[in-house]
Amino acid sequence: MLGDPIAHSLSPVLHRAGYAELGLDWTYDAHRVPAGGLAAFLSGLDDSWRGLSLTMPLKREALDLVDRLTDRARTAGAVNTLLLDADGERVGDNTDLPGAVAAIRERTSLPLASAAILGGGATATSVGLALVDLGVTSVELLVRDEARAGETVAALRAHPSGVDVRVGPLAVAEPLAADVVVSTIPADAQTGDLVARCADVPVVFEALYDPWPTPLAASATDRVLVGGLDLLVHQAVLQFELFTGRPAPLGAMRAAGAQALAGRSTA
């Protein structure tokens, strides 16, 4: 697992639990790699490596460092899974998009036509595209800096369904009117006013899992809540299968993640 910051990542816990469940003698570790450092890290790998999981700020940096992109990585404009083939080919994939679809449908079968997304980075892109695949036709991106959301807006508007995408400031005062609200912003950016504006949205998708619960997640006691652990587990299951070629033990991986999070909350 590569990224910066990385110490909080549960990915090693999930993947190691999967390896243990299937009796695989594999290793999975976290490495802090800051922006601009991915190329140097890749140059130091030998043929014992099967793949890498990438988090921010490397998901878009990886686009120019692979030999081939899968269709979903190209659509998302981000790589969260980098496969290292035996012949040396680097393949960039994205399991966040299908992982988000699986996470949402595990929690709700409600029809979803409109979405409000807080934040405009790579995670907002992947979850937004997943929602469009599930039938959302209108997306409102609420961001602190509209200029930095350009890649997400372009990716969503390029979807063949012709989704309507609007961009607005995160700090507006009006209540959100949508079928689902997705938060990809830090917990400390979830002010009381912002959480209150989301109160009437029936489905809440909180992409964070640490700290947990975030203010938005804590407010969703009587609504459908899709959590960051749901997203993490489902995208990790897909990564596991790409890395190993074996069906992933979803139950064991989820249980390990939940146990680790519970330990953090009581520490």
Side-chain angles (χ1 to χ4, degrees):
M1 184 72 187
L2 311 183
D4 184 25
I6 199 66
H8 70 288
S9 176
L10 276 183
S11 290
V13 172
L14 302 184
H15 284 264
R16 290 170 184 168
Y19 301 156
E21 183 73 12
L22 297 189
L24 298 176
D25 185 22
W26 286 42
T27 60
Y28 186 108
D29 298 306
H31 299 268
R32 179 180 171 270
V33 177
L38 182 57
F41 189 92
L42 290 173
S43 69
L45 303 183
D46 59 29
D47 59 8
S48 67
W49 290 73
R50 180 67 183 92
L52 305 168
S53 306
L54 305 179
T55 188
M56 297 307 293
L58 305 178
K59 290 183 179 182
R60 286 175 172 155
E61 185 173 320
L63 292 169
D64 296 326
L65 298 174
V66 299
D67 301 305
R68 179 168 58 88
L69 288 171
T70 63
D71 289 342
R72 57 194 180 193
R74 186 176 295 105
T75 296
V79 171
N80 83 321
T81 306
L82 201 158
L83 300 172
L84 304 170
D85 286 351
D87 60 3
E89 184 182 39
R90 300 173 181 170
V91 180
D93 203 347
N94 187 300
T95 63
D96 283 333
L97 202 165
V101 170
I104 293 165
R105 280 306 175 222
E106 181 181 42
R107 298 298 179 188
T108 181
S109 59
L110 289 172
L112 303 172
S114 59
I117 301 178
L118 313 181
T123 300
T125 304
S126 296
V127 179
L129 289 168
L131 288 167
V132 175
D133 284 346
L134 288 171
V136 165
T137 59
S138 174
V139 174
E140 182 177 18
L141 282 175
L142 300 176
V143 296
R144 285 172 285 194
D145 183 355
E146 294 188 23
R148 297 179 64 182
E151 291 178 318
T152 296
V153 172
L156 291 172
R157 287 180 174 164
H159 194 281
S161 69
V163 60
D164 175 42
V165 181
R166 291 164 288 133
V167 183
L170 190 63
V172 297
E174 295 82 5
L176 299 186
D179 295 325
V180 55
V181 59
V182 179
S183 177
T184 68
I185 62 176
D188 59 12
Q190 297 178 14
T191 63
D193 288 344
L194 179 59
V195 171
R197 288 167 46 214
C198 301
D200 293 330
V201 181
V203 179
V204 173
F205 191 140
E206 172 55 80
L208 295 181
Y209 59 84
D210 188 10
W212 189 264
T214 64
L216 182 61
S219 74
T221 55
D222 58 348
R223 293 175 285 166
V224 174
L225 175 61
V226 184
L229 183 60
D230 297 324
L231 174 60
L232 185 71
V233 169
H234 280 287
Q235 68 80 26
V237 160
L238 296 168
Q239 282 186 337
F240 184 100
E241 293 175 350
L242 289 170
F243 292 157
T244 68
R246 302 273 297 275
L250 186 150
M253 294 169 72
R254 186 199 299 276
Q259 182 178 11
L261 277 183
R264 291 181 185 183
S265 66
T266 57

